[in-house]
Amino acid sequence: MRRSSADAQQARSAGGSPLVGSSTPGRDQRHGGARVVQGSNLAEALHCAAREARRALDAVSAAIYLSDEDQGALRLALAGGSAPSFFTFPGRMALDTPSATVRAWATGKAAVLIDPDPAGPDQEHVLPYPYVALSAPVATAERRFGCLTVLRVETAGVFEPAEMRVLEEIGRQLASVLARLVDDGVSVAAGPTPMLVPAEEEVDTSVCTPGWGVRDVPGSSGTSMMFPLRRLAELLNRATTMDDVVAAAQYCVMSSLRADALVMVAAREGRLWVLGHSGDSADLARRIHGTGVDDQTPAAVAFHGRPLYLTGDRTSFLGKTTAGETRTEAYLPLRGDGQFVDLPFADRSRVVAVCCLAFSGPRRFPSEERVLLGMMAGLLGAAVDRVELSAEQHEAAQLLQRFLLPAQLPDLPRLVTTARYRTADVTSKVGGDWFDVFKIADERAVLVIGDVEGHAVESAAVMGQVRTAMASYAIEGHRPAAMIDRTGRVLAALGTALTVTCCVVALDTLDGTAEVALAGHPAPLVRRCDGRIEALDAPANVPLGVPMTQPYEAREHTLESGSILMLYTNGLVSSRSMCPEACARDLLGSGDTTSPALEDLADRIVSEVVTPQQRRDDAALLLARYEGARHQGEPRVAGMHIQRRDLRGVRTARAFVHDQLGSWGLQDMVDVVELAASEIVTNALIHAGSDVDLRMRVFEDHLRLEVRDSDTNPPIPSSLSLTEEEAPEAEHGRGMLIVEALADEWTSYPNGQGKTVALNLVIPQD
């Protein structure tokens, strides 16, 4: 509400000497200068400065940000004015935020929201609210404390130089008061939540954050707790993972209430499992994790729909005296419908999780604070339900995707292959990327990679049809161009409207001849032995599903021994700024590719793909190292298959290793390789519950042992163990500890529908 000149004069008479008198004639006279900023404590000084800034500049709200050196940011300490304007102030501003507040902090001068002459187009910033902002530093000649910012409705016009000087003077006055407080040993820092002071400046007895509130400054009220509530809603609206939900709860619930620990748990198959935790939460999480849903524990009782508060000066839930304890806990049921029910017989069917908070020392939970916690629990419950549903859909999509991909890649004597698949993060639907390797004979292989447009069930269905057709034509011995042509005809007969791109490479491992055919797909790349990276060019042709005007064509190339082939889909490079092929060349050229094992190179390539938040498409990668005939005689490669539940499988594996190493003249390695193979095969048979494949390959200086199963989980135990019996070593028998001690290098990586555990052992030199 704007004041008249008479009101301003009366205010100056009542408040003491002005800092800045009347400025230029006209509308500048609507502010009559500001009274001297005073305060015997931090809250009072901040409140006085914000109040005078609003009055002197006819602003709807004012905020004071204080520096947080640990976080390298400015944090909101106090906001005052009319709602909802003071809710528009961010709780934290990074020092690279293009705002008037940060510019004032950086330059030491008053700044407006939009700089009329910005240093760069990226510095222009407009708030999504109908206000204009003016900010001034809160600093003395020796110290910088923060900034003072005011908002005025945009229809009131821009701030003029005289008004900027008024705010700068108020900032200097406040800085002087804060400097005296610091000299007196007072900590000048923003509280866990900002003080919010309504424009009416009437005392409100609603919920107040401990440390900020009615006793600190007149007019400061429980409205301060509305800030973390509103901020929690904003953060949860953007949450896509459980980590996001836990981070929002930590920032807005745990920190605001000064809790020491936060743990969120869900019920799965009759037990409670930790979804996430923060703070000093290890003991609380260990105490809850794995307990029964029907046990008489606080967390389990909260799953019946009623919140539970265990105060340090009362009788505990189990009936034991806790007067001597220093721990206070709250257990809040989170309902999927977003409601917070506190009824004796509330239905727990919609309780999706429980939020557990722990506080040091005795603490009471007044009714107003319980109301606030109930509102927060409602927001958290809706978010957990949404994220969990999305995670289930995403898991189902990934499961379907995994079963549509090859179960494992075949072994060829002179060709080593590996593949990686990364799903898009922006959808829970299944994608249409795929890869395949077909072993036609010991000397011939066919490599395929492709992409069906879209992210829907239809995309997955078409991908399955195309894979089946490609496999059939490859096994029949058709050449790459014929495979694409015939598959395109099948796709046309099925009547799908989706298009498919693919790349087919047929490789003769005896002479290194590679025949390449494309259907609108990027050409494969090859890294030669001398480090040169080239594209195996071929006619682009048209994608499958597009009417053909001419026959599909292929082109032959020759590979030298040691060459590395890279087939990929656009999702691997489409998020980067450079040319897709140039990006793919950089990825293939990264790191050391002299090692016969391609897993490290594959992991390095996919790790350089943009973060999941930016990934908009599925990405498939297929790498192949052509070994050729560098050595006389056949490559030393051998393998065996063990069926699931084969009680003699481990003994058979040991015998296979013993006999095979003996035939290769590597008897000195028998004991070590037998023991390693025994431990890995045992783990695979017990924990994966699937068929197991064991492979050995001899290189110049080392032997590589690989064990494949259909379990996608790596042999790494959970980080949260309940008992000594469930410790990491016990989860896999201690087998992997033995393997780690035996092997010079071991790793685990995805392989088709499962995983491969591989280790390298140096061959003793005579």
Side-chain angles (χ1 to χ4, degrees), residues 171 325 381 438 664:
E325 295 181 1
F438 304 111
W664 289 338

Side-chain angles (χ1 to χ4, degrees), residues 478-556:
H478 293 281
R479 300 179 67 175
M483 289 174 56
I484 292 177
D485 178 77
R486 290 171 179 256
T487 302
R489 297 178 187 277
V490 170
L491 198 63
L494 294 174
T496 178
L498 300 180
T499 60
V500 181
T501 68
C502 65
C503 168
V504 180
V505 179
L507 178 63
D508 189 325
T509 62
L510 290 178
D511 59 12
T513 300
E515 185 176 0
V516 180
L518 305 175
H521 200 85
L525 300 179
V526 60
R527 175 166 176 160
R528 307 285 185 180
C529 296
D530 58 6
R532 290 180 297 116
I533 297 177
E534 303 172 355
L536 298 184
D537 293 324
N541 300 314
V542 297
L544 305 180
V546 176
M548 295 180 297
T549 58
Q550 58 186 11
Y552 285 98
E553 298 179 4
R555 185 169 297 167
E556 284 191 355

Side-chain angles (χ1 to χ4, degrees), residues 401-410 419 421 433-438 448 463 467 622 750-754:
Q401 182 77 64
R402 189 165 65 247
F403 277 97
L404 288 173
L405 294 174
Q408 63 182 30
L409 300 181
Y421 191 96
D433 291 23
W434 88 95
F435 57 85
D436 264 316
V437 177
F438 304 111
V448 181
M463 183 259 279
R467 275 198 65 221
L622 178 59
N751 184 0
Q753 295 178 9

Side-chain angles (χ1 to χ4, degrees), residues 377-418:
L379 295 174
L380 287 170
V384 169
D385 194 31
R386 172 174 53 81
V387 169
E388 286 280 271
L389 178 61
S390 177
E392 290 176 3
Q393 293 173 341
H394 190 64
E395 183 179 354
Q398 287 187 320
L399 183 64
L400 175 60
Q401 182 77 64
R402 189 165 65 247
F403 277 97
L404 288 173
L405 294 174
Q408 63 182 30
L409 300 181
D411 287 298
L412 288 97
R414 298 179 179 87
L415 191 68
V416 182
T417 59
T418 190

Side-chain angles (χ1 to χ4, degrees), residues 116-203:
D117 186 21
D122 59 327
Q123 293 189 10
E124 184 172 334
H125 178 66
V126 179
L127 279 174
Y129 305 108
Y131 307 115
V132 290
L134 172 65
S135 184
V138 177
T140 65
E142 297 81 17
R143 295 169 175 167
R144 287 196 305 172
F145 294 99
C147 289
L148 171 60
T149 302
V150 294
L151 298 182
R152 192 160 66 195
V153 291
E154 59 184 359
T155 55
V158 299
F159 291 99
E160 295 193 1
E163 296 173 308
M164 295 182 184
R165 290 193 293 272
V166 169
L167 194 64
E168 286 177 338
E169 184 61 28
I170 297 174
R172 282 192 289 269
Q173 289 283 348
L174 174 59
S176 297
V177 176
L178 298 182
R180 290 196 298 270
L181 292 175
V182 171
D183 293 339
D184 292 338
V186 177
S187 174
V188 175
T193 60
M195 292 184 292
L196 299 186
V197 184
E200 294 76 14
E201 299 186 355
E202 295 177 354
V203 175

